[in-house]
Each structure stands twice: as structure tokens, then as C-alpha cells.
Amino acid sequence: MGCYNLYRSISLRLPHFISYTQIIPTILSVKSPFYPSRRQKLRSFAILAGNNSFTWNDVLQVSESPPNDDSTLTDFFDKIKLCNRNSEKQCEFMPFVIDQQIIGYVHHRFADFLKPYHNVFIFPQDNTYDSNFGCHCTLHPNVRTPTDRTKAVANVIKSLGELIPGIRNELYPVASAFGEPIFFSLERAAAPYFGIKAYGVHMNGYLEKDEQKFLWLGKRSEQKSTYPGMLDHLVAGGLPHGISCGENLIKECEEEAGIPRSISHKAVPVGAVSYIDLEGYRMKRDILFCYDLKLPDGFIPHNEDGEVESFRLIPVTQVANIIRKTPFFKANCNLVIIDFLFRHGNIRPEEFGYLRLLQSLRSGYCS
């Protein structure tokens, strides 16, 4: 798909109004796309970039305040927009092709760092894949097998050093679509630099009592390299090479929330959300498989791998308030919880924008 067509296809899936931009520690006035004459005041807590210093007391305080306006879904749209930043910049990326299939996208300036490794990466000059740059990125024909490709690309990534930060030594499978043959495996931190589709499992853990639903939320460790101190739903993890979604979820349940297999195997797959986020050289094309797990009353999650600082059980309606009014959640967790709100009746067809919001949860390509 050409760069313009790719941008146009994604932009049509997203609502055309204000984007959720930088959070400032003041009262924000945001103009409603549904009621242009009304200015809506959103209360924001003092969270500066790189300093997510809020407490559970802050979370509970905002969760218990009344919604700004039940008649508009603007705040939810903003959170989805935040996961689909800079879609107009897709023209800056060229196709990454293996065996005549587009499996990713490489920023033209990042390609300059790959060109010296001409025994691994080559850039044929043609317009077969409708590139804006008259060429596409592919692997040298001498690098043929999945094993050879994995090793060769890994050596290049290692040589690039700090250009690709956060190396985790965790491999993601590279394929044209989920379940298709794997061309090679790629370091997880490098996946966005090659525009590779990355998959994850995300689970909402909930319980019902007194005719009300509650969600368990986690607060990420301050030592996490990504989104330290921010809120998560109960369990989430990337889908690495060589493990199924179900088994990966069971593993993550044990590590992140101390949920034994006897409980976690009851988690129900309920669909997927997707997004495309562009930042600098990175094109993050993520598909998140969503699960619901109804937990027994009395179960208390506890973290096993040091990645979660603490947990709280909060009514679903109050979790919706947190999403509406704050930037406390890790960005893609908002999508997974908004999807939960749809499926459990907390967002209703009577609310203006219902179908557009539902559609925008899958702004990326679910394939």
C-alpha cells in the first residue's frame, strides 16, 4: 500500500478533531468537537514529562469526582488519538519487504544508518511497492534462512548501539500477518524501528460484588524503563517468539499479579485492539489481544517480577473517570479498558460518537 493511501486509510478511521497533546499541570480548556460553543474544563494533576509523580490518593480523588459530561465521549477519543500520533508522517517511511511481502516500514533517515551494512540490508531502486523514495528496504539475498536473518539483523542492531535503546534480549517473530510463516525473529526493542507488527496480550481482571463491577489496577514500578509509575490494567505482556497467546497470558498472570494457573486458565479471549504510533524513526504497529478474567472475591494480586509497585481495586465507573480526566494510564492500556467499557455496558449507543469510538479502537491493521 502506498504511503499516501496508508495514511489516508488510517486517518479515515480516526476522528477528525483535536488531538490529545501535551499534558500540563494546570486546568485545561478543551473545545468539544460535538458542542463547539461549549468549552469543557478538564482537571489535570501535576505530572511533568518524565516525572509521573502521583499517588493512589490522587487516583482515588479524581476517580470519585463526577464525570465532566456523560453526553460526550471526547475524552475517550483523545486517549485513542494519543496512541495514533503523527499519522500524517507515514510518508517519511519506506516499505520493508521480505519475499515480496511488505512486513514493515523503515524511516528514510533510519535507513541511512542501515546502508553501511550492505551485506545485510539493501535498497533496490524501483517503485514496485509504491515507495515515496523510489526504493524499498530488504535483506541481502545471501541472507536466506530465518536463522541467518535473525543472526545478521541482530548483529546490525548490536552495532547501532544507543540508536536503539532498551535492548531486552527478547525476540519477536516477524511475519506478514499473525499466524503466517516467520521470516526471522527480531529484538523487541528494535521492532518499531522496522515498523514490524508486534502483538501482545492484555487482561482486565475484574470482580462483581453488590451488583457492581470492579477492576484491579496496577501501578508500575518507578524503576521500569518505560512508563515508570503509571497505571496499568491487571496483566499485560508482549507476545514473544515460540509461545501461544493463552500460554503467554498464563505466564504473565503468574509473574505480574501472582494469579495461579488454576484461576488464570479461565481468562476469556474477547477480541483485539490496534493502533499505529509514529515518533521519530519509530513506527509502532501494535495489535493487543484482549482478555477478561472474572476473579473470585477475596483474591488479592501480588507482583512476582518487581515490575508492579502496588494494586488497587476500583469500581469500573470510577476507572472510566480516571481515563477521562487524567494521563495516569500507560497510553495503550486506555484502549484495552475502553474496549472493556463497551463490552460491559458502561459506554452506550445513546452516547453521541458511539460507533466512531468503537471503530477507532482498531485504527491499526488487525492482521
Side-chain angles (χ1 to χ4, degrees):
M1 177 179 289
C3 187
Y4 170 75
N5 290 332
L6 182 62
Y7 161 61
R8 183 175 181 272
S9 175
I10 293 167
S11 64
L12 287 174
R13 304 179 190 199
L14 294 172
H16 294 282
F17 51 80
I18 58 171
S19 63
Y20 185 84
T21 54
Q22 296 179 344
I23 302 301
I24 57 173
T26 58
I27 301 297
L28 300 180
S29 294
V30 180
K31 196 167 187 176
S32 168
F34 305 117
Y35 303 99
S37 63
R38 180 179 61 83
R39 295 193 66 84
Q40 180 184 42
K41 290 187 176 181
L42 305 177
R43 183 173 185 272
S44 176
F45 285 83
I47 304 179
L48 302 178
N51 180 26
N52 302 317
S53 54
F54 62 89
T55 68
W56 281 114
N57 284 339
D58 296 326
V59 173
L60 295 174
Q61 181 181 347
V62 72
S63 74
E64 294 168 356
S65 61
N68 294 310
D69 187 343
D70 281 333
S71 66
T72 175
L73 301 177
T74 305
D75 301 327
F76 293 142
F77 273 118
D78 288 342
K79 295 306 195 295
I80 294 171
K81 194 84 170 179
L82 183 63
C83 284
N84 292 276
R85 297 174 297 174
N86 302 319
S87 57
E88 74 282 359
K89 294 185 178 181
Q90 293 197 36
C91 58
E92 299 177 6
F93 292 76
M94 67 179 67
F96 181 26
V97 178
I98 302 290
D99 291 349
Q100 300 180 343
Q101 295 188 61
I102 297 176
I103 52 91
Y105 293 89
V106 175
H107 194 278
H108 71 101
R109 290 182 180 172
F110 184 73
D112 292 338
F113 293 100
L114 301 178
K115 288 176 181 177
Y117 301 94
H118 48 79
N119 60 333
V120 179
F121 293 99
I122 60 174
F123 297 84
Q125 297 290 319
D126 62 51
N127 285 314
T128 303
Y129 302 99
D130 199 18
S131 169
N132 276 11
F133 303 95
C135 66
H136 64 272
C137 176
T138 188
L139 297 180
H140 195 284
N142 289 340
V143 187
R144 297 178 180 176
T145 69
T147 300
D148 289 344
R149 290 166 176 167
T150 298
K151 183 177 180 180
V153 174
N155 287 337
V156 172
I157 290 170
K158 184 177 179 180
S159 298
L160 292 176
E162 289 303 311
L163 188 63
I164 301 178
I167 299 297
R168 306 186 187 193
N169 297 315
E170 181 179 335
L171 295 177
Y172 271 6
V174 177
S176 59
F178 187 72
E180 293 294 317
I182 297 172
F183 295 118
F184 66 99
S185 296
L186 178 68
E187 159 63 39
R188 176 179 179 177
Y193 292 87
F194 293 91
I196 302 301
K197 289 178 184 174
Y199 303 87
V201 292
H202 285 236
M203 189 190 83
N204 286 301
Y206 73 101
L207 60 84
E208 294 178 312
K209 59 181 180 179
D210 302 327
E211 299 184 351
Q212 187 176 12
K213 289 179 182 176
F214 295 75
L215 277 172
W216 277 106
L217 305 182
K219 193 171 189 297
R220 295 162 69 88
S221 167
E222 296 288 351
Q223 279 65 55
K224 285 281 290 182
S225 59
T226 56
Y227 303 97
M230 299 194 76
L231 297 184
D232 263 339
H233 39 63
L234 187 56
V235 171
L239 185 64
H241 178 62
I243 187 171
S244 69
C245 289
E247 281 301 314
N248 192 44
L249 183 71
I250 288 172
K251 176 181 73 71
E252 295 289 349
C253 279
E254 178 65 34
E255 293 175 355
E256 294 196 352
I259 304 172
R261 179 182 286 264
S262 60
I263 296 177
S264 61
H265 84 279
K266 298 177 183 177
V268 179
V270 292
V273 298
S274 63
Y275 58 93
I276 301 180
D277 179 43
L278 280 72
E279 182 183 22
Y281 297 154
R282 308 185 322 139
M283 180 186 288
K284 193 170 175 59
R285 298 197 298 159
D286 284 2
I287 297 97
L288 311 180
F289 293 104
C290 300
Y291 290 77
D292 284 355
L293 177 60
K294 187 176 180 180
L295 291 161
D297 191 7
F299 174 80
I300 306 296
H302 57 278
N303 182 242
E304 300 283 353
D305 60 9
E307 295 189 357
V308 183
E309 173 189 291
S310 54
F311 298 94
R312 288 293 187 279
L313 185 65
I314 297 179
V316 170
T317 54
Q318 295 183 18
V319 175
N321 275 350
I322 298 168
I323 292 175
R324 283 177 181 271
K325 298 183 177 184
T326 79
F328 290 167
F329 274 103
K330 178 174 176 283
N332 62 5
C333 294
N334 288 314
L335 274 63
V336 177
I337 297 176
I338 292 171
D339 181 69
F340 181 94
L341 297 176
F342 269 106
R343 292 183 290 98
H344 290 260
N346 297 93
I347 299 176
R348 298 177 179 276
E350 291 77 13
E351 296 179 82
F352 186 66
Y354 178 90
L355 290 178
R356 283 203 296 154
L357 182 64
L358 182 64
Q359 183 183 42
S360 68
L361 289 172
R362 293 157 189 88
S363 297
Y365 291 94
C366 284
S367 63

